Amino acid sequence: MSKYSVILPTYNERENLPIITYLIFEMAKKNNLDFEIIIIEDNSPDGTLQVAQELKKVYGDKLIIHFREKKLGLGSAYMDGIKLCHGNYVVIMDADLSHHPKYLVDFIQKQKNTNCDIVTGSRYINKGGVMNWGFDRKLTSRGANFLASTMLGVKCSDLTGSFRLYKREVLEKVIKDVVSRGYAFQMEIIIRARQYGYTVEEVPIVFVERIFGESKLGASEFQIYLKGLWKLLWTF
Amino acid sequence: MSRGTNLFAASSISAIIWIITLFLSTGYVNEVAKSMPTYALILYFSYALFKVGGDLSRLKDYPEEAESLQKEVEESKRFYKEKGLKL
């Protein structure tokens, strides 16, 4: 039977963490799926760790908490998370409720139907979409995706998306080679996976902009993105 | 060869061909050659506008998703209250 491990990196998510945890396990229960969550907590000043420890009283062994002394970034969070996974499939998603766990049912269905190696959620295909995004955010995101796909010559409707389901061995193999940070990190995973001959399928998702907490997106993020894209241009 | 190297090579070759055409051609061909770079840029930006603009017009908002999420937030709070958790 398939077992799914969700790697959830958290930083200042004390309000969202209980909700996302509830939604994941409710979805799993309703659909008779075997899920576990690995929380990678980077010593948030808002008490996210204490909230995670409270949640463990309800969910027990299905909730694994990995504490890190400081903010070490997504790439290392995924690498640390994989080591603690018991599942044969790994889910990567955001903890801020922008990625709704209900779509995981569609991801799993797609994976079972096609036996693909990676399923990626896309906001930009038919039935996908967003909520609580201003026009400028939509333009920036779409523009960035367009730039990446023309510069890199990669066909993927949502290259920077970070809501994905991987076969465990695929993620383990690909993540070792990834050098980028930020949004380019997500793009690089897809490009490398394709280079190895792994198959990628897309499923529509609706991305709801965070309702609690502060967004970590800023003006400097776009600069980091451009730098990351430039580096990728010379990597592949 | 990386994609960057490929693009650089392709654009260098195109630039050399364009410069040669510019210096060696006359009349109508010369006029066309002079405006090729501008035309290429306009083509690319038109394509970008068409693609991004088209996608943006199709990018739907889903207010019902935000509403149902709000309901689920309340549901989760009730669940934890029943379990006696202090969050």
Short mmCIF file of all heavy atoms in Angstrom, two decimals, chain A residues 149-182:
data_model
loop_
_atom_site.label_atom_id
_atom_site.label_comp_id
_atom_site.label_asym_id
_atom_site.label_seq_id
_atom_site.Cartn_x
_atom_site.Cartn_y
_atom_site.Cartn_z
N SER A 149 10.25 30.14 -19.17
CA SER A 149 10.02 29.11 -20.20
C SER A 149 10.63 29.49 -21.54
O SER A 149 11.14 28.63 -22.25
CB SER A 149 8.55 28.75 -20.33
OG SER A 149 7.78 29.87 -20.59
N THR A 150 10.66 30.80 -21.88
CA THR A 150 11.30 31.17 -23.16
C THR A 150 12.81 31.12 -23.03
O THR A 150 13.49 30.59 -23.91
CB THR A 150 10.87 32.56 -23.68
OG1 THR A 150 11.02 33.50 -22.63
CG2 THR A 150 9.46 32.56 -24.19
N MET A 151 13.37 31.63 -21.93
CA MET A 151 14.83 31.63 -21.77
C MET A 151 15.37 30.21 -21.68
O MET A 151 16.40 29.89 -22.25
CB MET A 151 15.24 32.39 -20.50
CG MET A 151 14.78 33.80 -20.42
SD MET A 151 15.79 35.02 -21.27
CE MET A 151 17.39 34.70 -20.70
N LEU A 152 14.69 29.36 -20.91
CA LEU A 152 15.21 28.02 -20.67
C LEU A 152 14.68 27.00 -21.67
O LEU A 152 15.15 25.87 -21.70
CB LEU A 152 14.88 27.56 -19.24
CG LEU A 152 15.45 28.43 -18.13
CD1 LEU A 152 14.88 28.00 -16.78
CD2 LEU A 152 16.97 28.33 -18.09
N GLY A 153 13.71 27.40 -22.46
CA GLY A 153 13.14 26.47 -23.44
C GLY A 153 12.45 25.30 -22.78
O GLY A 153 12.52 24.17 -23.28
N VAL A 154 11.79 25.53 -21.66
CA VAL A 154 11.13 24.44 -20.93
C VAL A 154 9.62 24.62 -21.02
O VAL A 154 9.11 25.70 -20.78
CB VAL A 154 11.55 24.46 -19.43
CG1 VAL A 154 10.85 23.37 -18.66
CG2 VAL A 154 13.04 24.33 -19.31
N LYS A 155 8.92 23.52 -21.34
CA LYS A 155 7.46 23.60 -21.40
C LYS A 155 6.88 23.13 -20.06
O LYS A 155 6.94 21.96 -19.72
CB LYS A 155 6.91 22.72 -22.52
CG LYS A 155 6.97 23.40 -23.86
CD LYS A 155 6.00 22.79 -24.88
CE LYS A 155 5.99 23.61 -26.15
NZ LYS A 155 7.31 23.54 -26.88
N CYS A 156 6.40 24.08 -19.29
CA CYS A 156 5.73 23.74 -18.03
C CYS A 156 4.91 24.96 -17.67
O CYS A 156 5.44 26.07 -17.64
CB CYS A 156 6.76 23.44 -16.94
SG CYS A 156 6.04 22.95 -15.36
N SER A 157 3.64 24.79 -17.44
CA SER A 157 2.79 25.97 -17.29
C SER A 157 3.05 26.73 -15.99
O SER A 157 2.77 27.90 -15.88
CB SER A 157 1.32 25.58 -17.39
OG SER A 157 0.96 24.82 -16.24
N ASP A 158 3.60 26.05 -14.97
CA ASP A 158 3.82 26.70 -13.68
C ASP A 158 5.16 26.24 -13.11
O ASP A 158 5.20 25.44 -12.19
CB ASP A 158 2.65 26.36 -12.74
CG ASP A 158 2.61 27.30 -11.54
OD1 ASP A 158 3.58 28.03 -11.31
OD2 ASP A 158 1.59 27.28 -10.81
N LEU A 159 6.23 26.76 -13.69
CA LEU A 159 7.59 26.32 -13.34
C LEU A 159 7.97 26.61 -11.90
O LEU A 159 8.75 25.88 -11.31
CB LEU A 159 8.61 27.00 -14.24
CG LEU A 159 9.07 26.23 -15.46
CD1 LEU A 159 10.02 27.10 -16.27
CD2 LEU A 159 9.76 24.93 -15.09
N THR A 160 7.48 27.71 -11.35
CA THR A 160 7.91 28.10 -10.01
C THR A 160 7.00 27.54 -8.91
O THR A 160 7.19 27.83 -7.75
CB THR A 160 7.94 29.64 -9.86
OG1 THR A 160 6.64 30.15 -10.20
CG2 THR A 160 8.96 30.25 -10.79
N GLY A 161 6.02 26.75 -9.31
CA GLY A 161 5.10 26.18 -8.33
C GLY A 161 5.82 25.26 -7.35
O GLY A 161 6.78 24.58 -7.71
N SER A 162 5.35 25.25 -6.10
CA SER A 162 6.01 24.42 -5.09
C SER A 162 5.03 23.46 -4.43
O SER A 162 5.22 23.09 -3.27
CB SER A 162 6.69 25.31 -4.06
OG SER A 162 5.75 26.24 -3.53
N PHE A 163 3.99 23.08 -5.15
CA PHE A 163 3.02 22.12 -4.63
C PHE A 163 3.15 20.88 -5.50
O PHE A 163 2.64 20.82 -6.61
CB PHE A 163 1.61 22.71 -4.73
CG PHE A 163 0.54 21.93 -3.98
CD1 PHE A 163 0.86 20.85 -3.15
CD2 PHE A 163 -0.79 22.29 -4.10
CE1 PHE A 163 -0.12 20.16 -2.46
CE2 PHE A 163 -1.79 21.61 -3.41
CZ PHE A 163 -1.46 20.54 -2.60
N ARG A 164 3.91 19.88 -4.99
CA ARG A 164 4.25 18.73 -5.84
C ARG A 164 4.23 17.42 -5.08
O ARG A 164 4.44 17.37 -3.87
CB ARG A 164 5.64 18.93 -6.45
CG ARG A 164 5.70 20.10 -7.41
CD ARG A 164 7.06 20.23 -8.02
NE ARG A 164 7.13 21.42 -8.85
CZ ARG A 164 8.25 22.08 -9.12
NH1 ARG A 164 9.39 21.66 -8.63
NH2 ARG A 164 8.22 23.15 -9.88
N LEU A 165 4.01 16.37 -5.87
CA LEU A 165 4.09 15.00 -5.34
C LEU A 165 5.20 14.30 -6.11
O LEU A 165 5.23 14.35 -7.33
CB LEU A 165 2.75 14.28 -5.59
CG LEU A 165 2.71 12.76 -5.39
CD1 LEU A 165 2.80 12.41 -3.92
CD2 LEU A 165 1.42 12.18 -5.96
N TYR A 166 6.11 13.68 -5.38
CA TYR A 166 7.23 12.99 -6.01
C TYR A 166 7.26 11.54 -5.59
O TYR A 166 6.93 11.22 -4.44
CB TYR A 166 8.57 13.58 -5.54
CG TYR A 166 8.83 15.02 -5.87
CD1 TYR A 166 8.35 16.05 -5.05
CD2 TYR A 166 9.60 15.37 -6.97
CE1 TYR A 166 8.63 17.38 -5.34
CE2 TYR A 166 9.89 16.70 -7.26
CZ TYR A 166 9.39 17.69 -6.45
OH TYR A 166 9.67 19.01 -6.72
N LYS A 167 7.75 10.70 -6.47
CA LYS A 167 8.14 9.35 -6.02
C LYS A 167 9.39 9.61 -5.18
O LYS A 167 10.27 10.39 -5.58
CB LYS A 167 8.52 8.47 -7.22
CG LYS A 167 7.34 7.88 -7.94
CD LYS A 167 7.82 6.92 -9.03
CE LYS A 167 6.64 6.41 -9.84
NZ LYS A 167 7.07 5.70 -11.06
N ARG A 168 9.47 8.97 -4.06
CA ARG A 168 10.54 9.28 -3.11
C ARG A 168 11.93 9.19 -3.73
O ARG A 168 12.75 10.08 -3.55
CB ARG A 168 10.41 8.32 -1.92
CG ARG A 168 11.38 8.65 -0.82
CD ARG A 168 11.73 7.44 -0.02
NE ARG A 168 12.75 7.75 0.95
CZ ARG A 168 12.59 7.59 2.25
NH1 ARG A 168 11.46 7.08 2.72
NH2 ARG A 168 13.56 7.89 3.09
N GLU A 169 12.19 8.10 -4.49
CA GLU A 169 13.53 7.92 -5.04
C GLU A 169 13.87 8.99 -6.07
O GLU A 169 15.03 9.34 -6.26
CB GLU A 169 13.70 6.51 -5.65
CG GLU A 169 12.77 6.20 -6.80
CD GLU A 169 11.42 5.66 -6.39
OE1 GLU A 169 11.04 5.84 -5.21
OE2 GLU A 169 10.73 5.07 -7.25
N VAL A 170 12.84 9.53 -6.72
CA VAL A 170 13.05 10.60 -7.72
C VAL A 170 13.52 11.88 -7.02
O VAL A 170 14.51 12.49 -7.42
CB VAL A 170 11.76 10.85 -8.52
CG1 VAL A 170 11.88 12.09 -9.38
CG2 VAL A 170 11.41 9.62 -9.36
N LEU A 171 12.81 12.26 -5.97
CA LEU A 171 13.20 13.47 -5.24
C LEU A 171 14.58 13.32 -4.62
O LEU A 171 15.41 14.23 -4.70
CB LEU A 171 12.17 13.80 -4.14
CG LEU A 171 12.41 15.09 -3.37
CD1 LEU A 171 12.37 16.31 -4.29
CD2 LEU A 171 11.39 15.26 -2.25
N GLU A 172 14.84 12.13 -4.06
CA GLU A 172 16.15 11.87 -3.45
C GLU A 172 17.26 12.06 -4.46
O GLU A 172 18.29 12.65 -4.16
CB GLU A 172 16.20 10.42 -2.93
CG GLU A 172 15.67 10.28 -1.52
CD GLU A 172 15.60 8.84 -1.06
OE1 GLU A 172 15.46 7.93 -1.91
OE2 GLU A 172 15.64 8.63 0.16
N LYS A 173 17.05 11.55 -5.66
CA LYS A 173 18.10 11.64 -6.69
C LYS A 173 18.28 13.08 -7.17
O LYS A 173 19.39 13.59 -7.25
CB LYS A 173 17.73 10.74 -7.86
CG LYS A 173 18.77 10.79 -8.95
CD LYS A 173 18.71 9.60 -9.87
CE LYS A 173 19.90 9.64 -10.83
NZ LYS A 173 19.75 8.80 -11.97
N VAL A 174 17.17 13.73 -7.51
CA VAL A 174 17.25 15.06 -8.13
C VAL A 174 17.77 16.12 -7.17
O VAL A 174 18.57 16.98 -7.54
CB VAL A 174 15.85 15.46 -8.68
CG1 VAL A 174 15.83 16.90 -9.11
CG2 VAL A 174 15.45 14.55 -9.82
N ILE A 175 17.31 16.06 -5.92
CA ILE A 175 17.62 17.16 -4.99
C ILE A 175 19.11 17.26 -4.66
O ILE A 175 19.60 18.33 -4.31
CB ILE A 175 16.74 17.05 -3.73
CG1 ILE A 175 16.55 18.43 -3.12
CG2 ILE A 175 17.32 16.07 -2.73
CD1 ILE A 175 15.31 18.55 -2.33
N LYS A 176 19.81 16.14 -4.82
CA LYS A 176 21.26 16.16 -4.52
C LYS A 176 22.00 17.12 -5.45
O LYS A 176 23.00 17.72 -5.07
CB LYS A 176 21.85 14.76 -4.71
CG LYS A 176 21.55 13.80 -3.61
CD LYS A 176 22.46 12.57 -3.67
CE LYS A 176 21.89 11.47 -2.82
NZ LYS A 176 21.35 10.34 -3.58
N ASP A 177 21.49 17.26 -6.70
CA ASP A 177 22.21 18.07 -7.70
C ASP A 177 21.80 19.53 -7.72
O ASP A 177 22.46 20.34 -8.36
CB ASP A 177 21.95 17.50 -9.10
CG ASP A 177 22.33 16.05 -9.20
OD1 ASP A 177 23.29 15.65 -8.50
OD2 ASP A 177 21.68 15.32 -9.96
N VAL A 178 20.69 19.87 -7.07
CA VAL A 178 20.15 21.22 -7.20
C VAL A 178 21.05 22.23 -6.50
O VAL A 178 21.45 22.03 -5.35
CB VAL A 178 18.71 21.28 -6.64
CG1 VAL A 178 18.20 22.70 -6.60
CG2 VAL A 178 17.79 20.43 -7.48
N VAL A 179 21.36 23.35 -7.20
CA VAL A 179 22.24 24.37 -6.63
C VAL A 179 21.54 25.71 -6.41
O VAL A 179 22.02 26.55 -5.67
CB VAL A 179 23.50 24.60 -7.51
CG1 VAL A 179 24.38 23.38 -7.51
CG2 VAL A 179 23.10 24.95 -8.94
N SER A 180 20.38 25.90 -7.05
CA SER A 180 19.70 27.20 -6.96
C SER A 180 19.03 27.39 -5.62
O SER A 180 18.84 26.45 -4.86
CB SER A 180 18.61 27.30 -8.02
OG SER A 180 19.10 26.98 -9.27
N ARG A 181 18.64 28.67 -5.39
CA ARG A 181 17.85 28.98 -4.20
C ARG A 181 16.63 29.77 -4.62
O ARG A 181 16.57 30.30 -5.71
CB ARG A 181 18.70 29.81 -3.24
CG ARG A 181 19.94 29.09 -2.81
CD ARG A 181 20.87 30.02 -2.10
NE ARG A 181 20.75 29.83 -0.68
CZ ARG A 181 21.44 30.53 0.22
NH1 ARG A 181 22.24 31.49 -0.17
NH2 ARG A 181 21.31 30.29 1.50
N GLY A 182 15.67 29.86 -3.73
CA GLY A 182 14.46 30.65 -4.02
C GLY A 182 13.62 29.99 -5.09
O GLY A 182 13.53 28.77 -5.17
#
